[in-house]
């Protein structure tokens, strides 16, 4: 059945062997076969009762350790992360001296990482630092760097990006470290250091094209933060002209932002409308562009257009932070509308008209 890829029938055969002959010499092979078939079917958790049955019949069989480890690891590969965490932790308790104990902890961290549970993921990765003989240090340093960056703990992120940079001979790891250092230094407002790593990425002709585009975007952002708008525009426009990727979307947003800051409101609107047309798949930059469009309308005193733009963001954006920002800006539009009504009422008040008439007389 197995060779014919009739996995359900094959699983039933293995189950029958284990249920009827748990102490037979073939039972161990049956357990391994069942585990493999269930993994192929995405049902690794179903092997639990047969592991327990075999363990009861063969309590001294040391081969169970590898069976239990593979079962726990397969749950991770099947993306059953919550179940995998319990199984991997249980394995570490049962076999604390196992050669697989460190790797099991790594997979615990990976499960939490996939579940976006930053704190327990970091706890697992930091615990691994003392025992990385069977786990790649580069993988651990990369995860810690990324998670500490997401926590806005930039000095610690920088520390681990440097560890990644010196711990691996992989070109891919070197780029990842440089990218992390570029981003983390920029977020920490260490612009010179950020520029150093952006330039190293740009100077590496073996780096992927989108990586070059990202570094170019950061060169523009660094110039922007230094108020060097001419240099920033050169960098951003080069990125926009190079490819239609997320870096180009961000760069075009910054072009519109510079035009807004230079009070070129109508040009900024044209740039942002172009962004919306070309990069509508990038929800974040689409949202940011609409918020800046509203700012341009406010600067032009086109309150109706600003209000309609913000209401569109609140209705259509899938991102809660964009909706919240739009609601805040909408309050500003409301104040401006109220001020306009008050000013109109003041201009049309009888007292003012009488005063004007008296001056004419």
């Amino acid at each position: 059945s197995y060779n014919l890829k009739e996995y359900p029938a094959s699983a039933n055969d293995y189950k029958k062997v284990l249920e009827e002959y748990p102490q037979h010499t073939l039972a161990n092979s049956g357990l391994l076969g069942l585990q493999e078939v269930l993994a192929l079917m995405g049902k690794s958790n179903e092997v639990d009762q047969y592991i327990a049955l075999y363990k009861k019949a063969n309590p001294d069989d040391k081969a169970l350790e590898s069976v239990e480890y593979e079962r726990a690891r397969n749950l991770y590969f099947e993306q059953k992360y919550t179940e995998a965490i319990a199984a991997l932790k249980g394995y570490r308790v049962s076999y604390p001296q196992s050669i697989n104990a460190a790797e099991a902890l790594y997979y615990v961290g990976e499960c939490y990482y996939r579940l976006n549970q930053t704190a327990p993921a970091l706890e697992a990765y930091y615990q691994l630092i003392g025992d990385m003989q069977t786990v790649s240090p580069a993988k651990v340093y990369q995860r810690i760097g990324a998670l500490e960056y997401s926590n806005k703990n930039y000095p610690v992120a920088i520390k681990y990006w440097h560890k990644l940079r010196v711990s691996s001979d992989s070109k891919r790891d070197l780029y990842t470290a440089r990218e992390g250092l570029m981003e983390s230094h920029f977020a920490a407002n260490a612009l010179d250091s950020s520029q150093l790593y952006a330039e190293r990425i740009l100077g590496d002709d073996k780096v992927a094209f989108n990586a070059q585009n990202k570094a170019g975007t950061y060169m523009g952002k660094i110039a922007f933060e230094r108020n060097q708008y001419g240099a920033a525009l050169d960098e951003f426009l080069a990125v926009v002209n190079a490819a239609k990727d997320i870096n180009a979307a961000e760069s075009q947003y910054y072009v519109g932002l510079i035009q807004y800051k230079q009070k070129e409101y109508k040009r900024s609107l044209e740039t942002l409308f172009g962004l919306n047309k070309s990069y509508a798949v990038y929800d974040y930059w689409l949202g940011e562009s609409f918020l800046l469009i509203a700012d341009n309308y406010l600067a032009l005193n086109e309150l109706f257009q600003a209000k309609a733009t913000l209401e569109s963001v609140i209705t259509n954006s899938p991102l809660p932070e964009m909706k919240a920002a739009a609601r805040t800006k909408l309050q500003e539009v409301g104040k401006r509308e109220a001020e306009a009504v008050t000013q109109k009422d003041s201009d049309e008040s009888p007292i003012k008209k009488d005063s004007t008439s008296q001056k004419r007389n």
Side-chain angles (χ1 to χ4, degrees):
S1 299
Y2 178 85
N3 292 333
L4 295 174
K5 297 186 179 181
E6 296 175 356
Y7 299 135
S10 181
N12 288 333
D13 291 341
Y14 288 130
K15 289 176 182 179
K16 186 174 181 180
V17 170
L18 289 163
E19 288 168 350
E20 296 183 7
Y21 310 103
Q23 291 183 307
H24 195 280
T25 54
L26 293 176
N28 181 273
S29 298
L31 183 58
L32 292 171
L34 177 61
Q35 178 174 259
E36 185 177 353
V37 169
L38 290 175
L40 290 169
M41 295 168 64
K43 298 180 178 181
S44 289
N45 54 342
E46 290 186 11
V47 80
D48 288 1
Q49 67 186 88
Y50 294 94
I51 291 177
L53 189 154
Y54 182 87
K55 198 170 188 177
K56 183 178 179 180
N58 306 276
D60 298 323
D61 190 340
K62 294 182 180 179
L64 271 171
E65 179 185 327
S66 62
V67 172
E68 292 188 54
Y69 181 59
E70 285 305 311
R71 177 261 173 185
R73 197 171 65 157
N74 284 336
L75 287 170
Y76 166 77
F77 291 126
E78 291 171 13
Q79 300 180 25
K80 297 174 181 176
Y81 300 126
T82 302
E83 294 174 59
I85 289 168
L88 289 161
K89 286 184 174 180
Y91 173 81
R92 282 174 51 81
V93 170
S94 298
Y95 307 101
Q97 303 303 318
S98 170
I99 192 173
N100 296 316
E103 188 178 71
L105 181 58
Y106 171 75
Y107 282 118
V108 169
E110 288 292 281
C111 288
Y112 282 123
Y113 178 81
R114 305 292 178 185
L115 292 169
N116 294 316
Q117 296 182 24
T118 299
L122 276 172
E123 182 181 351
Y125 295 130
Y126 277 125
Q127 190 177 341
L128 267 172
I129 289 176
D131 182 13
M132 291 197 290
Q133 292 182 354
T134 59
V135 177
S136 165
K139 291 180 179 179
V140 177
Y141 296 150
Q142 182 177 339
R143 286 291 190 241
I144 293 176
L147 290 171
E148 292 292 14
Y149 176 81
S150 70
N151 282 344
K152 300 184 179 181
N153 196 355
Y154 303 125
V156 177
I158 288 167
K159 173 184 175 180
Y160 282 94
W161 290 130
H162 277 302
K163 284 181 177 289
L164 173 62
R165 183 175 60 84
V166 300
S167 69
S168 175
D169 295 327
S170 162
K171 290 287 186 182
R172 182 182 182 88
D173 287 342
L174 178 60
Y175 164 69
T176 300
R178 286 174 172 172
E179 179 187 48
L181 287 163
M182 173 182 73
E183 293 175 330
S184 298
H185 280 300
F186 180 83
N189 201 34
L191 300 182
D192 288 346
S193 295
S194 181
Q195 181 173 338
L196 171 67
Y197 289 104
E199 288 173 343
R200 287 183 179 177
I201 293 170
L202 289 167
D204 188 346
D205 58 5
K206 294 181 181 179
V207 169
F209 186 77
N210 63 330
Q212 296 253 340
N213 246 21
K214 186 168 190 175
T217 300
Y218 268 85
M219 290 293 288
K221 289 162 69 174
I222 291 164
F224 177 86
E225 291 298 320
R226 291 170 173 161
N227 296 319
Q228 298 170 351
Y229 292 154
L233 280 171
D234 288 342
E235 297 287 355
F236 290 135
L237 289 171
V239 173
V240 170
N241 291 329
K244 299 295 184 185
D245 62 4
I246 191 169
N247 303 298
E250 182 176 5
S251 290
Q252 186 151 335
Y253 168 81
Y254 269 96
V255 172
L257 181 59
I258 290 171
Q259 292 165 339
Y260 169 78
K261 286 183 172 292
Q262 294 177 330
K263 299 184 179 181
E264 298 177 357
Y265 304 124
K266 291 184 177 180
R267 284 190 67 194
S268 178
L269 285 170
E270 290 176 7
T271 298
L272 296 167
F273 288 144
L275 187 160
N276 295 345
K277 181 179 179 180
S278 300
Y279 306 104
V281 295
Y282 302 116
D283 289 329
Y284 180 83
W285 292 112
L286 188 65
E288 288 285 3
S289 74
F290 274 117
L291 294 176
L292 186 52
I293 285 171
D295 287 338
N296 276 290
Y297 281 135
L298 278 172
L300 292 167
N301 204 35
E302 296 183 19
L303 303 185
F304 177 81
Q305 293 281 26
K307 185 175 182 179
T309 301
L310 294 170
E311 288 174 343
S312 175
V313 174
I314 294 168
T315 301
N316 299 312
S317 177
L319 304 177
E321 65 269 30
M322 292 300 165
K323 293 178 182 287
R327 290 189 183 99
T328 300
K329 287 183 182 289
L330 200 55
Q331 293 176 354
E332 173 63 22
V333 175
K335 290 179 183 178
R336 292 276 293 274
E337 286 179 329
E339 289 170 0
V341 170
T342 301
Q343 182 63 45
K344 183 178 180 181
D345 289 345
S346 175
D347 291 343
E348 295 178 354
S349 68
I351 295 175
K352 187 167 184 178
K353 285 183 178 179
D354 290 347
S355 174
T356 302
S357 299
Q358 288 174 8
K359 284 181 181 178
R360 288 176 180 171
N361 293 333

